Amino acid sequence: MKKLQRRSPELKMEVAIEAIKGELSIAQIAGKFEIHPKQVTDWRDQLLSEGLSVFIPKTSLRRTKNDLEKEDLLKKIGELTVEVDFLKKKLSH
């Protein structure tokens, strides 16, 4: 069985850019870099879908992650508050 190879981010970017340019076919790019054609299309699609994050300031990303965590925590607090109120009513009767 073949061992899983780790590819560098630089190689992935180079392959994805080649695929986006469209000067070579996916099969030609795969042969050139000695990788499976599916990997070429996966990296291309990933770059196209996530490429915007390159231009978003890191502080904005952190703030967004913090906001999401805060929302999750507030939701959990709300759920727990409802449970506590329910249990208080059940125990008082």
Side-chain angles (χ1 to χ4, degrees):
M1 186 192 293
K2 263 188 160 179
K3 184 180 175 186
L4 182 65
Q5 293 182 347
R6 298 274 180 207
R7 306 295 183 164
S8 71
E10 294 82 10
L11 175 71
K12 292 177 183 181
M13 178 68 86
E14 185 178 351
V15 170
I17 290 172
E18 285 278 336
I20 291 169
K21 284 181 183 177
E23 295 171 355
L24 299 173
S25 71
I26 298 297
Q28 290 171 322
I29 296 169
K32 177 180 174 181
F33 291 98
E34 298 180 356
I35 56 176
H36 194 276
K38 175 78 168 106
Q39 194 65 71
V40 175
T41 57
D42 287 349
W43 291 342
R44 179 199 62 201
D45 294 346
Q46 185 178 5
L47 179 61
L48 289 173
S49 67
E50 299 174 17
L52 179 61
S53 66
V54 172
F55 301 106
I56 297 174
K58 301 292 183 213
T59 54
S60 295
L61 291 175
R62 254 185 267 124
R63 197 173 321 118
T64 302
K65 288 178 185 176
N66 288 340
D67 290 344
L68 292 174
E69 288 175 5
K70 183 178 177 181
E71 288 175 20
D72 288 342
L73 291 173
L74 289 173
K75 181 179 175 185
K76 186 64 176 176
I77 290 170
E79 291 170 1
L80 293 173
T81 303
V82 169
E83 287 179 26
V84 168
D85 290 344
F86 174 78
L87 291 173
K88 281 181 183 177
K89 287 179 184 177
K90 283 292 186 182
L91 290 174
S92 66
H93 288 278

